């Protein structure tokens, strides 16, 4: 056998070996494809969580359709959810209705606890919930999906539609409050009232972005699970609200009425002085920038 024939023989043998390997691989893939794929523990956990949330959403939807207001939504700490206490929710709802009247429009921005409390009360106000958690989509047309990271990705019908905007930004950060403020401005009418519920450390930024200042007549914001960072009530209006427990009715005690009136005036004077100080600080900042 000459060298040419030997080379041809070797090439045929190599081609046959490659064909055998290809057939073997094909058979192996076919056999593996018949096996049930195995999910990792993390993937399986995420899948079960999704189905659990979907089942809860459907249950809540049936409750709403039957006229029952759900009150058992579980806090999702991964979404920075911390529900208000019952007392805080009721006081906030009363303040909202006091501010807008019986037929006003109220936007609850990232505060589903307040929305549910308002929905359970008797009034003719239009209340809308803008929220990231789609479990609350069970409230139908009242619900609008909202992600603060896209502050203006909203339905055009919401622009300038509300007499009062109540916002509770999900994070205590400059970025979150800044973007939430853009949404608040988008939603509110030109003379809209604004209530901001956030931490003490955001006080200066709340004033600069929204003209919302801490009000001495408003109580602190309490949550069902106590938070490390104190939450307070900010507003862009100064009219006193939040009638305290025990002051809600006529007692027939003129001395008590006089004392309450004195305290009310003292609070108003403190508030006016605080506002003047803030205005002076604003002017000083502007002067320093101009110079």
């Amino acid at each position: 056998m000459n060298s040419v024939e030997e080379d041809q023989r070797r090439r045929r043998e190599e081609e046959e070996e490659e064909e055998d390997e290809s057939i073997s691989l094909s058979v192996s893939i076919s056999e593996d494809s018949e096996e049930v794929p195995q999910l990792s523990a993390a993937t399986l956990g995420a899948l079960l969580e999704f189905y659990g949330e979907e089942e809860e959403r459907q249950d809540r939807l049936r409750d709403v359709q039957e006229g029952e207001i759900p009150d058992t939504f579980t806090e999702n700490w991964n979404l920075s959810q911390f529900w208000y206490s019952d007392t805080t929710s009721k006081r906030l709802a009363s303040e909202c209705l006091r501010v807008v009247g019986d037929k006003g429009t109220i936007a609850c921005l990232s505060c589903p606890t307040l929305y549910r409390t308002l929905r359970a009360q008797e009034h003719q106000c239009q209340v809308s919930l803008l929220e990231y958690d789609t479990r609350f989509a069970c409230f139908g047309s009242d619900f609008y999906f909202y992600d603060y990271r896209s502050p203006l990705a909203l339905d055009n019908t919401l622009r300038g539609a509300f007499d009062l905007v109540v916002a509770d930004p999900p994070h205590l950060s400059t970025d979150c409050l800044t973007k939430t403020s853009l949404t608040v401005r988008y939603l509110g009418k030109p003379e809209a009232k604004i209530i901001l519920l956030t931490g003490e450390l955001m006080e200066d930024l709340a004033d600069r972005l929204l003209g919302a200042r801490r009000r001495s007549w408003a109580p602190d914001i309490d949550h069902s699970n106590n938070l490390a960072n104190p939450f307070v009530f900010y507003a862009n209006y100064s009219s006193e609200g939040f009638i305290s427990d025990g002051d809600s009715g006529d007692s027939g005690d003129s001395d008590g009425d006089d004392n309450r009136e004195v305290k009310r005036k003292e609070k108003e004077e403190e508030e006016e002085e605080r506002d003047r100080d803030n205005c002076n600080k604003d002017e000083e900042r502007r002067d320093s920038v101009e110079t």
Side-chain angles (χ1 to χ4, degrees), residues 184-281:
V184 170
R185 295 295 191 188
Y186 180 91
L187 296 172
K189 294 179 180 180
E191 301 299 324
K193 298 294 192 298
I194 297 171
I195 294 175
L196 178 66
L197 310 169
T198 189
E200 286 183 334
L201 55 87
M202 308 306 291
E203 183 168 358
D204 290 341
L205 188 60
D207 188 3
R208 293 202 303 271
L209 294 176
L210 296 171
R213 296 171 178 171
R214 186 172 182 175
R215 301 303 171 182
S216 60
W217 43 261
D220 290 347
I221 305 303
D222 296 326
H223 294 79
S224 298
N225 295 304
N226 293 329
L227 301 183
N229 298 300
F231 266 56
V232 296
F233 176 102
Y234 302 93
N236 71 338
Y237 60 91
S238 59
S239 59
E240 185 173 351
F242 286 105
I243 297 175
S244 62
D245 295 338
D247 289 349
S248 58
D250 295 332
S251 63
D253 184 351
S254 60
D255 291 338
D257 292 340
D258 291 341
N259 290 335
R260 284 193 291 272
E261 181 64 19
V262 170
K263 290 180 180 180
R264 186 185 66 79
K265 289 183 178 179
E266 289 176 350
K267 287 182 179 180
E268 287 181 352
E269 292 174 356
E270 291 174 358
E271 196 67 53
E272 290 175 357
E273 183 177 356
R274 183 187 182 91
D275 288 346
R276 284 195 297 271
D277 290 341
N278 286 328
C279 289
N280 292 333
K281 290 179 182 178

Side-chain angles (χ1 to χ4, degrees), residues 54-71:
E54 179 63 23
E55 183 178 359
E56 181 180 359
R57 186 158 43 244
Q58 294 299 323
D59 290 343
R60 299 297 173 268
L61 179 58
R62 283 192 292 271
D63 289 342
V64 172
Q65 290 173 341
E66 294 172 0
E68 298 180 10
I69 305 302
D71 58 359

Side-chain angles (χ1 to χ4, degrees), residues 60-126:
R60 299 297 173 268
L61 179 58
R62 283 192 292 271
D63 289 342
V64 172
Q65 290 173 341
E66 294 172 0
E68 298 180 10
I69 305 302
D71 58 359
T72 57
F73 287 99
T74 304
E75 292 175 339
N76 186 340
W77 292 357
N78 291 327
L79 296 180
S80 190
Q81 288 180 340
F82 304 96
W83 302 156
Y84 307 137
S85 68
D86 289 342
T87 298
T88 292
S89 294
K90 292 176 181 178
R91 284 180 171 177
L92 286 172
S94 296
E95 174 65 3
C96 290
L97 297 177
R98 184 190 73 84
V99 169
V100 303
D102 191 47
K103 297 182 180 180
T105 51
I106 304 171
C108 296
L109 185 59
S110 302
C111 42
T113 317
L114 173 60
Y115 167 80
R116 290 189 291 115
T117 303
L118 281 167
R119 185 183 174 96
Q121 297 186 1
E122 293 185 5
H123 56 78
Q124 299 182 38
C125 294
Q126 176 189 334

